[in-house]
RNA sequence: GGCGUGGUAGCUCAGCUGGUUAGAGCGCACGACUCAUAAUCGUGAGGUCGAGAGUUCAAGUCUCUCCCACGCCA
């Protein structure tokens, strides 16, 4: 064993909204790279806590439930089960996939609000808002329509007229009506809301962001912009007049004047990272101390490295709002150490669109190909530095070349050659010479580069290095040419094949964070006893000794035919069925 | 309109604090090999690094202006 330093790593992925199945752009922007990082760190022997959840509160969930003709709680429970199942089939190895509607999150959200209020970071603001008697609810700006007083456009929204772009106040509208029911039975009522005084924490946040010199520019530039743009960081409302959400309470106490209100979804959603860890403890018969050691720096979390994954649209909440909640609480909660943010993945020249059903959604992806194919392509093309582009041609080429030709075919040619010349066991005879030493040394340096990229969460670079590691096997085999050696010097061929067979379990372990299912098949075929990470190539490549039995596996990957590609291209171009 | 991020070979992308003939993979051409999923390996042809100006002994890499794409905000 080399170094045995064991770190503790807390990983969270931005939590997907509950209404509906996410598309591949959502997947590659948070959950998938988070899973890569979690799997890699577990493989290196670190202690990992990987948490995700569904984000269930807010108006869209209510509307989606209404559309489905179900009570919102029932709708959310069903959708959570569906999303959980799909995540599982994609190999997303969450330690827990929680729900922001959990009791744990309710209690924690109320707790944070109480702490913030005690510390003076909550302001109560009275505002006038439009109330719809027919709908029995307040109408947020965009749920009111009417005639624009400026240009006469009759479908102006409460916040802005789309026709003349003039900003409006809902009370400016002529003949206002509810966008939900169309009712004109509206009245202006005074209502009170809570605001998180982010502006009071601005300097603290600014200094904190400044201290994060190793963060991606995408992350810090967005944070800086919100901190300094215009009048600087603004206070934000954290409550809404809705039914579905965390009831507003000050800790466990009622909050006078806030009866019937709930916390706004952006306030309670990130708290679910903590609550989700508590849910993990509950689900696994653990104690509070077991989850608190990940989150409370006074209870063991001071040596935890906390890494968040998210798309760029989520950066403001994670660099400012959620940290403001943590800082303002005055309690020793763990702040994020590193934020890995992603740009968007575009689909065939346009955007993935949930509303238009454009692109490939997670369930559809698994209908047509195994998870590994998607995982590999998406991760090796992750939109790290700029928006990236999914095209079916690129996808087909990447999968066929990298997975089928380079990796899959390597396993195939080595195992089949061995079976035909030596039988299905690792052959004896010969010894490793200069060519073998050169390969081992090359792989050792590539291994170190691969690890460095994964440690730095450089996803695409890690994928490229992994691919180079696969290619090294083919290069070696081509140069060593055991099929030629076998005719004149069978012992030499045996040595070459012995090393080549040993490459397979090493490839399996190194590739597992990207393509866990194929890795599993490789290990099973080779009947490998250990799945330990190959810290040293020299020893890792002699794990399978002469006489070790194996089986020739079925082809690991099937190539994508042109006909299939064109069929899918057609199928996913338009509207989701 | 303001802000942000990009604009590097046909395609997808690397290029840190400026320094020899600008890199990788795919695709393409040619060659080698024949164990393997018509797979693999090698060689090569492709770029005035969005445009223009400036700083410098030296700029893809810094400054300014402009153009384009995408995104956010208003």
């Amino acid at each position: 064993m080399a170094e045995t330093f064991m770190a503790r790593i807390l990983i969270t992925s931005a939590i997907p909204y509950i209404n509906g199945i996410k598309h591949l752009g959502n997947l590659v922007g948070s959950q998938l790279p988070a899973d890569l990082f979690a799997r890699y760190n577990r493989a290196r022997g670190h202690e990992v806590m990987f948490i995700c959840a569904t984000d269930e509160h807010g108006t869209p969930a209510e509307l989606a439930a209404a559309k489905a003709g179900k009570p919102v709680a029932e709708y959310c429970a069903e959708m959570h089960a569906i999303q959980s199942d799909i995540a599982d089939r994609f190999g997303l190895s969450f330690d827990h996939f929680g729900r922001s509607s959990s009791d744990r999150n309710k209690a924690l959200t109320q707790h944070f609000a109480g702490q913030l209020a005690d510390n003076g970071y909550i302001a109560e603001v009275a505002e006038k808002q439009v109330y719809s008697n027919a709908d029995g609810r307040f109408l947020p700006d965009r749920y009111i329509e009417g005639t624009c007083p400026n240009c006469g456009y009759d479908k102006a929204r409460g916040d802005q007229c789309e026709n003349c772009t003039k900003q409006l106040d809902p009370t400016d509208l002529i003949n206002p009506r509810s966008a939900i029911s169309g009712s004109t039975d509206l009245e202006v009522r005074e209502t009170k809301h809570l605001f998180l005084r982010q502006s009071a924490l601005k300097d603290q946040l600014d200094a904190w962001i400044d201290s994060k010199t190793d963060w991606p520019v995408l992350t810090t530039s967005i944070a800086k912009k919100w901190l300094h743009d215009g009048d600087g960081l603004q206070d934000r409302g954290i409550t809404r007049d809705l039914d579905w959400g965390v009831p507003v309470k000050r800790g466990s106490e009622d909050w006078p004047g806030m009866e019937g209100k709930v916390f706004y979804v952006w306030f309670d959603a990130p708290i679910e990272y903590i609550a989700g860890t508590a849910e993990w403890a509950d689900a696994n018969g653990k104690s509070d101390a077991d989850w608190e050691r990940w989150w409370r720096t006074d209870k063991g979390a001071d040596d935890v490295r906390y890494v968040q994954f998210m798309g760029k649209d989520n950066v403001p909440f994670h660099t400012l709002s959620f940290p403001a909640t943590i800082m303002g609480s005055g309690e020793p909660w763990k702040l994020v150490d590193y934020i890995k943010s992603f740009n968007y993945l575009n689909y065939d020249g346009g955007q993935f669109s949930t509303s238009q059903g454009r692109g490939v959604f997670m369930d559809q992806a698994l209908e047509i190909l195994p998870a590994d194919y998607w995982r590999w392509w998406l991760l090796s093309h992750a939109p790290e530095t700029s928006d990236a582009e999914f095209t079916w041609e690129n996808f087909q080429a990447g999968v066929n070349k990298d997975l089928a030709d380079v990796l899959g075919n390597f396993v195939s040619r080595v195992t089949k050659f061995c079976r035909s010349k030596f039988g299905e066991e690792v052959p004896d005879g010969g010894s490793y010479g200069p060519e073998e030493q050169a390969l081992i040394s090359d792989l050792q340096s590539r291994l170190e580069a691969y690890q460095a990229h994964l440690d730095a969460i450089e996803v695409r670079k890690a994928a490229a290095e992994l691919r180079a590691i696969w290619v090294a096997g083919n290069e070696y085999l081509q140069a060593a040419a055991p099929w030629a050696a076998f005719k004149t010097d069978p012992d030499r061929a045996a040595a070459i094949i012995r090393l080549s067979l040993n490459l397979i379990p090493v490839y399996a372990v190194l590739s597992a964070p990207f393509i866990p299912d194929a890795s599993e098949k490789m290990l099973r075929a080779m009947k490998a006893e250990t799945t330990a990470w190959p810290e040293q190539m020299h020893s890792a490549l002699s794990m399978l000794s002469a006489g070790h039995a194996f089986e020739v596996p079925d082809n690991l990957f099937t190539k994508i035919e042109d006909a299939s590609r064109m069929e899918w291209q057609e199928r996913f171009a338009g509207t989701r069925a």
Side-chain angles (χ1 to χ4, degrees):
Chain A
M1 275 315 260
E3 54 193 286
T4 50
F5 170 72
M6 187 171 162
R8 298 176 60 217
I9 303 174
L10 174 62
I11 302 168
T12 61
S13 159
I15 65 178
Y17 200 68
I18 190 71
N19 67 340
I21 292 161
K22 303 301 133 184
H23 56 60
L24 297 181
N26 299 129
L27 179 65
V28 74
S30 54
Q31 293 176 324
L32 193 51
D35 182 68
L36 173 77
F37 193 59
R39 285 177 179 272
Y40 165 68
N41 280 295
R42 288 193 196 106
R44 294 300 302 277
H46 300 315
E47 188 181 1
V48 169
M49 179 61 69
F50 180 24
I51 297 294
C52 193
T54 41
D55 177 11
E56 306 193 359
H57 292 135
T59 310
E62 289 185 312
L63 296 178
K67 196 175 169 190
K70 290 175 181 166
V72 63
E74 188 182 320
Y75 171 82
C76 287
E78 284 176 17
M79 287 308 302
H80 177 269
I82 289 171
Q83 290 206 26
S84 180
D85 174 60
I86 293 175
D88 197 47
R89 287 191 285 133
F90 252 102
L92 301 178
S93 60
F94 306 132
D95 287 290
H96 191 73
F97 187 61
R99 303 182 58 185
S100 70
S101 62
S102 67
D103 289 341
R104 281 290 195 175
N105 196 38
K106 285 192 177 80
L108 264 172
T109 298
Q110 291 163 346
H111 170 80
F112 273 107
Q115 286 294 124
L116 288 162
D118 290 349
N119 295 331
Y121 291 116
I122 296 288
E124 297 190 12
V125 177
E127 20 179 61
K128 288 184 165 45
Q129 237 187 317
V130 175
Y131 185 86
S132 165
N133 289 306
D135 298 307
R137 59 181 291 171
F138 284 96
L139 299 176
D141 300 337
R142 59 189 163 140
Y143 289 103
I144 309 165
E145 289 178 352
T147 301
C148 175
N150 189 45
C151 70
Y153 180 61
D154 68 352
K155 285 190 179 115
R157 299 188 319 193
D159 53 347
Q160 182 182 35
C161 173
E162 289 179 335
N163 190 48
C164 68
T165 73
K166 184 177 167 62
Q167 276 182 263
L168 302 171
D169 196 79
T171 52
D172 295 338
L173 292 171
I174 300 164
N175 300 324
R177 59 184 181 277
S178 163
I180 299 170
S181 63
S183 168
T184 55
D185 184 11
L186 310 177
E187 62 182 66
V188 176
R189 290 188 184 178
E190 182 157 290
T191 179
K192 206 162 66 169
H193 281 292
L194 303 182
F195 277 66
L196 177 61
R197 296 184 58 224
Q198 299 184 137
S199 56
L201 290 158
K202 176 172 176 279
D203 292 342
Q204 207 176 328
L205 288 165
D206 205 10
W208 178 65
I209 296 289
D210 280 337
S211 74
K212 304 300 181 185
T213 51
D214 61 334
W215 284 13
V217 284
L218 180 66
T219 304
T220 49
S221 67
I222 292 174
K224 282 295 191 182
K225 184 194 147 226
W226 281 63
L227 276 166
H228 301 294
D229 227 31
D231 298 329
L233 188 61
Q234 299 297 298
D235 296 342
R236 294 193 66 142
I238 59 167
T239 54
R240 281 293 185 274
D241 293 290
L242 295 173
D243 295 326
W244 178 238
V246 176
V248 175
K249 286 197 166 193
R250 184 168 178 155
S252 55
E253 307 290 314
D254 287 338
W255 204 314
M258 301 305 294
E259 295 80 6
K261 297 178 195 296
V262 299
F263 287 107
Y264 193 26
V265 59
W266 75 257
F267 183 70
D268 77 66
I271 294 172
E272 170 61 16
Y273 295 143
I274 305 174
T277 315
E279 291 171 49
W280 161 84
D282 295 342
N284 292 283
K286 308 276 187 183
S287 67
D288 279 346
D290 288 322
W291 71 263
E292 285 172 342
R293 64 190 280 274
W294 290 98
W295 283 102
R296 293 284 298 219
T297 55
D298 59 335
K299 294 178 182 175
D302 45 350
D303 67 341
V304 168
R305 175 167 165 79
Y306 177 22
V307 181
Q308 294 177 340
F309 289 79
M310 69 198 67
K312 59 184 170 185
D313 51 328
N314 267 315
V315 170
F317 297 112
H318 291 79
T319 51
L320 303 168
S321 303
F322 185 44
T325 300
I326 299 280
M327 289 174 181
S329 75
E331 295 178 326
W333 296 98
K334 181 79 193 162
L335 273 170
V336 66
D337 292 303
Y338 191 81
I339 293 180
K340 178 71 179 182
S341 54
F342 290 85
N343 288 282
Y344 293 143
L345 179 69
N346 291 319
Y347 178 80
D348 241 347
Q351 293 184 25
F352 275 89
S353 168
T354 301
S355 58
Q356 293 171 38
R358 186 167 190 280
V360 185
F361 291 73
M362 286 174 72
D363 56 338
Q364 300 170 321
L366 292 178
E367 280 169 23
I368 62 178
L369 288 171
D372 281 352
Y373 293 51
W374 297 105
R375 290 178 62 106
W376 171 254
W377 192 89
L378 289 169
L379 287 169
S380 60
H381 293 77
E384 288 178 296
T385 51
S386 64
D387 289 356
E389 179 85 9
F390 175 93
T391 66
W392 285 100
E393 288 82 359
N394 274 336
F395 176 66
Q396 178 190 26
V399 165
N400 288 355
K401 191 72 188 176
D402 300 346
L403 295 183
D405 294 347
V406 175
L407 176 61
N409 182 56
F410 175 80
V411 172
S412 182
R413 67 194 295 205
V414 170
T415 53
K416 285 178 182 169
F417 180 83
C418 185
R419 179 174 63 185
S420 77
K421 306 299 184 196
F422 302 102
E424 280 182 284
E425 62 178 47
V426 177
D428 198 2
S431 59
Y432 292 176
E435 276 181 297
E436 286 68 37
Q437 295 312 325
L439 172 66
I440 289 169
S441 145
D442 178 45
L443 285 175
Q444 183 64 34
S445 59
R446 289 197 180 283
L447 168 66
E448 282 158 20
Y450 179 56
Q451 291 170 173
H453 288 138
L454 283 171
D455 287 333
I457 324 181
E458 296 268 20
V459 178
R460 278 190 312 216
K461 287 180 182 173
E465 196 60 48
L466 177 59
R467 187 187 189 283
I469 288 171
W470 297 338
V471 167
N474 281 314
E475 284 171 356
Y476 164 71
L477 212 54
Q478 203 66 29
W483 46 88
F486 185 76
K487 293 169 189 164
T488 56
D489 184 358
D491 274 357
R492 172 65 190 146
I496 296 167
I497 287 302
R498 193 160 64 248
L499 178 57
S500 299
L501 287 168
N502 264 287
L503 279 171
I504 296 173
V506 167
Y507 283 178
V509 172
L510 294 181
S511 307
F514 283 89
I515 46 173
D517 294 339
S519 291
E520 181 60 38
K521 282 184 198 165
M522 291 161 76
L523 290 172
R524 215 163 38 232
M526 298 315 295
K527 303 186 196 298
E529 291 114 17
T530 173
T531 57
W533 188 264
E535 300 289 345
Q536 293 299 323
M537 279 293 178
H538 181 74
S539 51
L541 288 172
S542 49
M543 294 301 289
L544 304 181
S545 47
H548 180 96
F550 69 92
E551 285 171 6
V552 173
D554 292 336
N555 285 344
L556 294 176
F557 304 98
T558 306
K559 291 199 202 191
I560 298 169
E561 304 289 337
D562 288 346
S564 304
R565 186 202 77 217
M566 288 186 278
E567 180 195 324
W568 297 332
Q569 205 155 10
E570 175 82 9
R571 176 177 164 193
F572 297 107
T575 309
R576 184 184 168 95

